[in-house]
Amino acid sequence: MAGRVAKAHIEQRGATERTAIEQRGETQRAAIAAGVERERIRRPRLPAGDGDAS
């Protein structure tokens, strides 16, 4: 009986750790996307044809 309980506990812990890893990944992706968006807003692109090419 104790072996089954221990096995169930280990499986639950593994599922919890996988969820935490997935959430960290989502958080990192969101932070990167927010940084990219901030940079895009900070440095707007010039309209085509306004470059200094002669």
Side-chain angles (χ1 to χ4, degrees), residues 10-47:
I10 290 168
E11 289 172 352
Q12 179 62 42
R13 184 172 177 198
T16 302
E17 289 176 1
R18 281 191 299 278
T19 300
I21 290 168
E22 290 169 0
Q23 288 173 345
R24 276 197 302 272
E26 288 296 320
T27 301
Q28 289 172 345
R29 281 190 284 281
I32 291 167
V36 168
E37 183 66 12
R38 277 193 301 276
E39 190 64 23
R40 185 188 68 76
I41 291 168
R42 212 175 95 207
R43 293 189 197 175
R45 290 179 172 214
L46 295 175

